[in-house]
Amino acid sequence: MKGKFLINGRGGCGKSTLTSIIAKNLAKDNQVLVIDIDEGNLGINKMLGVERPETTFMDYCGGRGRVMGELVKVILQQEDAVHIVGEISFDDLEAPFASWSDNLGFIQMGKIENPGDGCSCPISNLAMDFIANLKLDDNQVVIVDTSAGIEHIGQGVAFNIDKLITVVDGSNDAVILANKINEMAKKADKDNLVILNKVDDSIEGLLKEKLDDDINVVSSIKYAPEIAESNINGVEIDISNIDVGDIIAKL
C-alpha cells in the first residue's frame, strides 16, 4: 500500500484510537508514519507503543516563532503556504523529531505548551508543508491524526492527502460534523470514508439514517471495554482481536 490519509472527527469520537489501530495493522506489511497534528494530544504514542520523540518537528525547525514569521510572509506576500520543509523521504525521518518501533514511526508536529502560545495555525501550516514534501515509495503509508473539528481542512492540510477518514460516534454533533466534512471533502475533490465508532446495532442504524445519503460508511466498530481500559492506563493497544480489514480494503 502507498498513500496519505487524514483522520477527522469531533472530540472524543475515537480519532487517536482508530489512528493507532489502523496504523498498527498496516505496519504488519508496510512502513507507517503517524503524524500527530493535534496541538493538545499528548498520549497517542502510548497507544501506538512508540516512544515520544525528543522534540516536536516545529521545535526542530526553529520553533513557533520561526513558523509564525513564515506565516507573516505568506500573508504579506500573498503566497500559498509556508515553505520551510524541502523534499524529504522516510529515510530522513529520524531522531530527534521522529521515533520508530520496527515499521511504525511517529512525529508530533507541534504542541501548545504555555499560556499565550496562541492558535494552532503554525502547527497546521507546517504540517501542510511537511505532508506536501514527503515523498513515498511503495509500501509506505502516512496517517495524520488531527485535532477535533474542521479547522485543519480550512487551513488546507487535506489538499495533499489522498483520502479522508471521518470517525462518527453516537452524538448529534458527530453527525453534523461528519456531514460538513463530507461536503468540504467534495469541494476539495477528496474521497471521504466514514467509520462509525463505539456503536451497537440500534445506534448504527440510527446514525446511518441521520448521515447524508452520499456518505460512504465503510465500517462500524462496537464499543470495546478493553480498548477503553488500555487508553485509561496509557498502555499500548492490543490489536490481536480487532478486525479492521474492511477499513484497510477501502484505503
Side-chain angles (χ1 to χ4, degrees), residues 30-229:
N30 305 272
Q31 277 188 296
V32 180
L33 174 69
V34 173
I35 306 175
D36 170 22
I37 69 169
D38 184 341
E39 70 280 359
N41 186 354
L42 302 176
I44 186 174
N45 67 293
K46 294 181 178 179
M47 300 184 206
L48 291 165
V50 180
E51 290 295 322
R52 183 182 296 176
E54 297 174 38
T55 184
T56 66
F57 187 69
M58 185 166 68
D59 284 343
Y60 176 79
C61 291
R64 173 176 288 268
R66 184 193 174 193
V67 181
M68 286 297 293
E70 294 298 320
L71 274 173
V72 170
K73 292 180 185 178
V74 169
I75 295 169
L76 293 178
Q77 299 173 14
Q78 297 185 329
E79 296 181 1
D80 58 343
V82 300
H83 298 290
I84 294 175
V85 184
E87 184 173 308
I88 51 176
S89 70
F90 269 45
D91 291 337
D92 302 313
L93 307 178
E94 56 187 22
F97 66 85
S99 58
W100 289 86
S101 176
D102 297 323
N103 279 342
L104 187 55
F106 179 62
I107 290 176
Q108 290 181 313
M109 192 55 51
K111 296 295 170 185
I112 293 178
E113 303 283 358
N114 303 294
D117 269 352
C119 68
S120 63
C121 296
I123 299 168
S124 293
N125 278 270
L126 184 60
M128 183 165 55
D129 189 26
F130 181 92
I131 294 166
N133 284 286
L134 179 59
K135 307 305 177 186
L136 303 184
D137 291 331
D138 291 340
N139 300 115
Q140 291 181 338
V141 179
V142 171
I143 302 178
V144 182
D145 184 37
T146 66
S147 56
I150 54 176
E151 184 178 10
H152 51 278
I153 303 178
Q155 290 167 334
V157 177
F159 289 148
N160 294 295
I161 294 293
D162 295 307
K163 292 182 181 180
L164 281 70
I165 300 170
T166 302
V167 183
V168 179
D169 65 342
S171 73
N172 183 250
D173 280 348
V175 170
I176 294 172
L177 182 61
N179 288 335
K180 182 61 178 178
I181 289 173
N182 199 58
E183 175 188 325
M184 295 179 77
K186 287 188 289 186
K187 290 179 180 178
D189 196 26
K190 301 293 180 181
D191 288 339
N192 179 41
L193 311 178
V194 169
I195 300 171
L196 307 183
N197 191 37
K198 299 183 287 188
V199 299
D200 58 21
D201 292 340
S202 61
I203 294 299
E204 177 182 349
L206 182 58
L207 284 173
K208 288 180 177 179
E209 287 178 13
K210 298 294 184 181
L211 291 168
D212 288 343
D213 292 340
D214 61 345
I215 280 184
N216 183 16
V217 177
V218 299
S219 183
S220 296
I221 298 176
K222 295 190 178 343
Y223 174 76
E226 63 274 17
I227 294 178
E229 184 176 335

Side-chain angles (χ1 to χ4, degrees), residues 19-35:
T19 295
S20 302
I21 292 170
I22 293 169
K24 287 167 69 66
N25 273 277
L26 285 172
K28 296 173 183 177
D29 301 305
N30 305 272
Q31 277 188 296
V32 180
L33 174 69
V34 173
I35 306 175

